[in-house]
Amino acid sequence: MTLPDRGALSRREYLKALVAAGGTSALAACLDEESAVEIPAGDPAAVPARQHAWNAVLSGDDNENIVPARHHVLLSLTLARDPTEEDRERFGRALETLERAYEWSHEGLLFTVGYTPAYFERVGWNGLPEPTALTEFEDPEFEDGDLQVHLASDHPQAVLAAEEALVGEVEEVNGVGVEESIEDLIDSRERLTGFVGPGLPAEHQDTPGVPDSEPIHEEAPFFMGFRSGFEESQASEDRVTIEEGPFAGGTTQHVETLSIDLRQWYEQDSQFQRVAKLFSHQHAEEGLVGEYGEKLDESNALTAERIANTTEDARRYGVVGHAQKAARAREDGEPLLLRRDFNTTDDDRPGLHFLSLQREIDEFVRVREAMTGTDLAEETGIGSITNNGILQYLTVRRRGNYLLPPHDLRAFPEP
Ligand code: HEM
C-alpha cells in the first residue's frame, strides 16, 4: 500500500490516511509524525472482566453521552490451522502485552477479540448464527475469517502498533517488548478501518464520492452530518451482556459495512428532508435537531408517542425517519443495541462500519428489520427505499457476526 503524501494533507488527514494504509511503514511514519505524543502505559490486572466494558474509560460530553474513540481498525484473521493449547496461551500473552503497553482507555488502547461461526466450527460449537442478507436489496460479502480484533484509540499510532504487534511485525510496542505473536497461525488477514469524531468527516471533502458543493458541517462526527449515539438510544453494557451459558459475561457483535451515496444525500435533499429522513418529520418541522444535532442533549428527542406514530407519519407526510422506525424495536422502552459504529473511506469511498453489540444476534436482526421497514412500505404510500428513512443512500457491502467472550476466555475459546 502506498503511503499518503504528507505535503498534500493536513496533519489530521495524514494520520487518518496512515491508519487506513496500515503496515509497518505507515506505523513508522505515524510514530514520526506523533513523536511528541506520550501514551500512558497500562496494567493487565486493571482490565475489566468484560471485553466490551469500554464506556467507563471513554470520555463523555456535556450531557450523559459517551464519546467514541477516534481511530479504529477491525482486523479479521483466518487461521492456518486449529489452535492448540500452546497457541491459546501464546495468544493470551500477546494480548496481555498490549494491555501492558497501553492504558485501558481511549487515551491508550481499547480492544475486543470476537470469534466467527467458522471459528466455532473448529471447536465443535454452533451457538452463533452465520451472517445472512437481511434485506431484499442487498448482496453483501460475508466475513469468512475466524476472528476479528477491534482496536480503538484516540491515537492513530496505538491502533497501528497494536495491529503490527499481533501479527509479529514489530519488536516493541509503546516501549514494551513484544515476545509473543500469532504470526505463524495466520493464513490471511483483512483490515477494515475508520474514524469518528467532530470535524473528522469534514476533512474528507476530497474523497471520491464526498460532494464539495455542500460541505459537511465542521462539527459533525459522521459523514451524513449529524450526531448519533445519544445515551437514551443506546443499550447499556449490562443489557448487551450474555447472562448464561459458556460465554456468560460476553456479548455478540454484528458488523454491517455500508457505503453511503453522499452526493444524493447532500445535493438532492434539503436540510429539512435530511432531518425528516434521519430523525422524524416532527424533528424537522419543530427544528428539534439544529444544524448537526447540537440542539439534542442525551436523547434523540424521540418520544414514545412519536415512535408509536411511525406508520401514521409515513401515511401523513410521505416520509419516515430512520431513528424513529429503528426505535420501534425497543423493548419496554429500552434500546437493544449498543452502537459503536464509525466512518470509513476504505475502498476510497465514504461509508460506515456499523458495529453494534447486543445480547444475541437475533436482536440485531429484529432492529434491522424495524429499520428496513418493509411493513411501512406495504401499509403506507412510501417507497420500499425512497422516503423510507435513509435506505436510499445506503449499500450494504459486507456483514459479519461475532461472539466476544468474556476476558478470561478471549484467547481461542473452547466452550
Ligand atoms: C450510514 C448509516 C447510518 C447512519 C448515518 C445512522 C444515523 C443515525 C442517527 C443520526 C440516529 C439518531 C441519533 C441516535 O439515536 O443516536 C440513529 C439512531 C439509530 N440507528 Fe442509525 N444510522 C445508520 C445505520 C444504522 C444501522 C445499519 C442500524 C441497524 C439496525 C441502525 C440502528 C439505529 C438505532 C437502533 C437507532 C436508535 C433508535 C432508538 O432511539 O431507539 N442505524 N442512527
Side-chain angles (χ1 to χ4, degrees), residues 222-234 256 258-260 278-279 296 299-300 302 307 322-330 333-337 339 341 351-352 354 356 364 367-369 371 390 394 399:
F222 289 98
F223 269 133
M224 289 182 92
F226 293 90
R227 290 168 66 212
S228 172
F230 296 94
E231 158 72 10
E232 288 180 16
S233 64
Q234 290 279 50
E256 164 173 337
L258 297 157
S259 57
I260 313 174
L278 253 181
F279 293 85
L296 299 166
S299 150
N300 58 17
L302 277 175
I307 299 166
H322 159 76
Q324 175 184 30
K325 61 183 165 151
R328 295 179 301 159
R330 290 184 187 181
E334 294 290 320
L336 301 180
L337 310 187
R339 291 170 283 140
D341 46 317
L352 184 87
F354 183 86
S356 85
F364 177 81
V367 182
R368 190 57 170 87
E369 273 167 11
M371 164 179 165
I390 52 175
L394 307 181
R399 290 190 181 279

Side-chain angles (χ1 to χ4, degrees), residues 52 55 234-241 334-338:
H52 57 290
N55 286 359
Q234 290 279 50
S236 66
E237 286 174 352
D238 283 347
R239 178 62 186 81
V240 303
T241 299
E334 294 290 320
L336 301 180
L337 310 187
L338 175 50

Side-chain angles (χ1 to χ4, degrees), residues 161-173:
E163 177 183 353
E164 294 309 311
L166 285 177
V167 299
E169 295 286 347
V170 290
E171 285 169 11
E172 206 184 83
V173 57

Side-chain angles (χ1 to χ4, degrees), residues 201-274:
E203 289 168 1
H204 277 281
Q205 223 73 40
D206 55 354
T207 302
V210 180
D212 44 16
S213 51
E214 274 279 338
I216 299 173
H217 196 285
E218 276 189 6
E219 289 299 319
F222 289 98
F223 269 133
M224 289 182 92
F226 293 90
R227 290 168 66 212
S228 172
F230 296 94
E231 158 72 10
E232 288 180 16
S233 64
Q234 290 279 50
S236 66
E237 286 174 352
D238 283 347
R239 178 62 186 81
V240 303
T241 299
I242 298 170
E243 291 182 309
E244 48 196 36
F247 294 115
T251 187
T252 73
Q253 172 178 288
H254 183 87
V255 181
E256 164 173 337
T257 297
L258 297 157
S259 57
I260 313 174
D261 188 340
L262 288 181
R263 285 231 165 81
Q264 236 194 92
W265 178 246
Y266 282 107
E267 291 176 355
Q268 177 184 297
D269 285 340
S270 64
Q271 177 76 356
F272 186 99
Q273 287 169 316
R274 286 193 285 269

Side-chain angles (χ1 to χ4, degrees), residues 69-104:
R70 292 166 75 85
H71 298 280
H72 297 256
V73 171
L74 295 171
L75 178 65
S76 287
L77 303 174
T78 303
L79 299 177
R81 56 174 169 78
D82 293 349
T84 62
E85 196 50 44
E86 190 265 325
D87 296 327
R88 208 159 273 132
E89 283 166 20
R90 207 150 50 96
F91 190 29
R93 286 197 296 272
L95 295 169
E96 250 180 56
T97 302
L98 300 183
E99 293 170 345
R100 199 163 295 119
Y102 296 110
E103 180 182 88
W104 182 257

